[in-house]
Amino acid sequence: MSTLPEDLVELGRIVSAYGVKGMVKIQPYSDDRSALLDINQWWLARVSPRNGALLSAHTPIRAQRVREQGTDLVAALEGVTDRDQAEAMKGTSVFASRSQFPSAPEDEYYWVDLIGSHVYLEDSGEFAGIVLEVMDNGAHGVLRVARHQTDAQGEPAPVLDAKGRIQEWLVPFVSEHVPEVDVAARRIVTRFPLDF
C-alpha cells in the first residue's frame, strides 16, 4: 500500500466512462495538463462540490495510459477493466503529489504554487495581501488576493469592508503588472493599483 503524500494537489475530476474497456474521461482543472499526462501515480477521492470537504479517503491508483481528448483527458487505470467500473468512478477527484510535477519552464508557474503567496506593491514595498486563488479569464491568469496589511506586531491583518468582509483585489497575472515572482519565498511583487 502506498503512503499518502502530504502534498497532494487536486488536478481534475472524472466526468464519465469512455468506451467499453474501462477507460475514464477526466476534466482537468487547468489548461496545463502536464502533471496528469506525466505522472502515473494518482490518488482518487470523493470531494464535496459545495464546500470542498473530503467525502472519502484517498485511494492510490496507477494511470497506465493517458491521452488528450479535446479539452479533456482519457485514461486507462490499473484494475479498471470494464465500463461499469469506470462509470462508478464518475464524480471522483484526481490528485497527484506536487513533488512529482514536471519542472515548469522558466517564467512559468504552477498556479497551485502561487496560492498563499504574499503580494507586495512595487513602488512602496507595502504588504498588500495574500493570494487566495488563480483564475483564468480566457486571456491570462488573474490573482484573487485577500487584502491584508501589516499590523502593529508585524503580522498580516485582513482589510475589511463596511460589512466586515475581507476585501478582495483582482490582479492580472501578466509580466506588465507582476514583474517579480519568487515561488520559494512565496512572494509576489505587483505594480497593479490597489484602487483599480
Side-chain angles (χ1 to χ4, degrees), residues 4-14 26 29 35-36 39-48 52-63 91-98 100-101:
L4 182 68
E6 294 181 7
D7 62 347
L8 288 180
V9 177
E10 188 174 356
L11 298 174
R13 186 171 56 91
I14 296 174
I26 299 162
Y29 292 151
L36 282 169
I39 298 171
N40 64 7
Q41 177 63 63
W42 293 355
W43 296 80
L44 304 181
R46 297 221 177 250
V47 176
S48 169
L54 204 57
L55 301 176
S56 71
H58 289 91
T59 305
I61 195 162
R62 290 223 170 264
T92 302
S93 293
V94 179
F95 296 78
S97 169
R98 173 61 186 92
Q100 299 297 309
F101 285 23

Side-chain angles (χ1 to χ4, degrees), residues 111-188:
W111 289 2
V112 68
D113 292 339
L114 303 176
I115 296 169
S117 294
H118 286 205
V119 180
Y120 295 85
L121 301 178
E122 183 183 49
D123 57 352
S124 66
E126 175 189 351
F127 172 54
I130 299 172
V131 177
L132 296 175
E133 76 174 308
V134 185
M135 306 176 298
D136 185 1
N137 74 357
H140 54 74
V142 176
L143 302 175
R144 185 173 145 244
V145 179
R147 286 278 292 116
H148 282 70
Q149 59 192 12
T150 306
D151 68 13
Q153 290 78 35
E155 297 296 320
V159 176
L160 306 177
D161 65 15
K163 294 183 178 181
R165 297 177 300 208
I166 297 177
Q167 292 181 10
E168 291 189 1
W169 178 39
L170 300 178
V171 178
F173 190 57
V174 294
S175 58
E176 177 184 337
H177 297 300
V178 181
E180 183 183 329
V181 176
D182 186 337
V183 171
R186 303 188 61 73
R187 176 185 171 87
I188 295 173

Side-chain angles (χ1 to χ4, degrees), residues 9-31:
V9 177
E10 188 174 356
L11 298 174
R13 186 171 56 91
I14 296 174
V15 292
S16 68
Y18 183 84
V20 296
K21 296 184 179 178
M23 295 181 78
V24 295
K25 183 181 276 191
I26 299 162
Q27 179 183 60
Y29 292 151
S30 168
D31 289 338

